[in-house]
Amino acid sequence: MRLDKAVSQVTDLSRADVKRAARQERITVNGVAVTDPSVKVSDADEVCLDGEVLGAAGPRYFMLNKPLGYVCATKDGEHPIVLDLLDEPNLQKLHIAGRLDIDTTGLVLITDDGQWSHRIASPRHQCAKTYYAHLAEPIADDAVEKFEKGVWLNHEKTRTKPARLEILYRNEVRITITEGRYHQVKRMFAALGNKVLELHRESIGEIQLDELLSEGDYRPLTPEEIASIG
Ligand code: URA
């Protein structure tokens, strides 16, 4: 990656600011001042600004355990936003890969890699998302079959793609879907005449919510987790 891009990703500096800082010999790569902002750097290089070592250059990936009451948006006048929970530089460069409703808890993936998050969100990639749901009414006997076939949601022109339903208890289920339609899980249960009281995302593709993360906590993804979104 180019030096100016790498530095601007992990600092509050714009690319133009980085170019100026490089000209002023404030940036070093492996101990040597570099004035050319187009020089290529990798994670293996130690990049310093004003003598401070900068975090690894390159895209960032995090998982967060979303608490109730937080919104998956970049701004909200009324409620706290998920990005407020991150203590990271350049928050404005990060986005959420697969939003959750304000009253849904659990796994949220956050990145600045648009191609990676596209693979999670795009219907073409059929990335599975698994949720635990607590329902108001006992689950109907034919629910597994109906979800397998796909259900009609209000105001939609096509059935949902096949979804897997595992019955955990009378009114507790685990559901896996491969799409991300608006309020999809809640609307799927509404289509059966039921209502979701609690919804918690457990996994996205092969990435499981880390049990060690308390609500509101986050951690970087491992290289294996990042690579699993293919
Ligand atoms: N489906 C919903 O209805 N809500 C969510 O937050 C996620 C999936």
Side-chain angles (χ1 to χ4, degrees):
M1 182 187 296
R2 283 174 58 116
L3 179 65
D4 50 358
K5 185 169 184 202
V7 175
S8 84
Q9 262 188 8
V10 294
T11 64
D12 288 329
L13 301 187
S14 66
R15 304 260 296 252
D17 293 335
V18 177
K19 284 191 181 122
R20 206 167 307 120
R23 255 198 331 266
Q24 295 165 355
E25 302 191 347
R26 292 166 53 203
I27 299 178
T28 58
V29 177
N30 304 323
V32 179
V34 173
T35 53
D36 177 0
S38 70
V39 157
K40 294 279 188 296
V41 289
S42 74
D43 286 352
D45 293 314
E46 187 188 77
V47 180
C48 296
L49 173 66
D50 297 330
E52 294 262 320
V53 179
L54 300 180
R60 296 177 287 170
Y61 306 88
F62 303 101
M63 73 157 73
L64 177 135
N65 186 358
K66 179 190 172 298
L68 276 178
Y70 279 75
V71 289
C72 288
T74 43
K75 263 192 206 144
D76 190 282
E78 212 182 325
H79 304 285
I81 61 171
V82 156
L83 292 177
D84 289 341
L85 296 164
L86 269 65
D87 182 17
E88 298 294 327
N90 270 329
L91 282 179
Q92 75 284 0
K93 294 188 177 163
L94 294 169
H95 63 266
I96 292 160
R99 293 164 179 226
L100 291 179
D101 298 336
I102 187 167
D103 56 353
T104 303
T105 58
L107 178 63
V108 168
L109 299 177
I110 298 166
T111 183
D112 51 9
D113 180 344
Q115 289 184 352
W116 188 82
S117 52
H118 179 72
R119 293 201 289 278
I120 291 175
S122 125
R124 198 164 61 82
H125 288 88
Q126 304 226 348
C127 177
K129 289 115 189 157
T130 299
Y131 298 82
Y132 161 87
H134 175 199
L135 306 172
E137 306 294 334
I139 186 78
D141 292 340
D142 56 357
V144 173
E145 210 173 68
K146 281 191 168 158
F147 278 7
E148 177 58 40
K149 275 198 196 139
V151 289
W152 291 100
L153 302 180
N154 265 342
H155 315 297
E156 300 260 354
K157 293 197 182 73
T158 55
R159 278 178 197 266
T160 55
K161 294 246 162 54
R164 203 172 59 240
L165 188 68
E166 187 189 342
I167 298 173
L168 305 172
Y169 184 62
R170 282 173 353 126
N171 58 346
E172 289 181 48
V173 294
R174 179 169 288 125
I175 173 169
T176 301
I177 58 174
T178 58
E179 303 166 284
R181 302 192 197 194
Y182 182 65
H183 295 325
Q184 179 160 344
V185 174
K186 291 176 188 159
R187 290 165 70 212
M188 286 176 75
F189 286 104
L192 300 185
N194 211 323
K195 184 172 165 36
V196 173
L197 299 179
E198 263 176 68
L199 191 61
H200 177 79
R201 185 153 65 197
E202 300 178 332
S203 62
I204 295 178
E206 287 171 23
I207 304 177
Q208 304 271 348
L209 178 62
D210 190 329
E211 288 177 359
L212 298 176
L213 288 180
S214 307
E215 283 196 357
D217 284 353
Y218 73 100
R219 68 156 172 82
L221 294 186
T222 64
E224 292 75 26
E225 287 169 333
I226 297 164
S228 74
I229 301 293

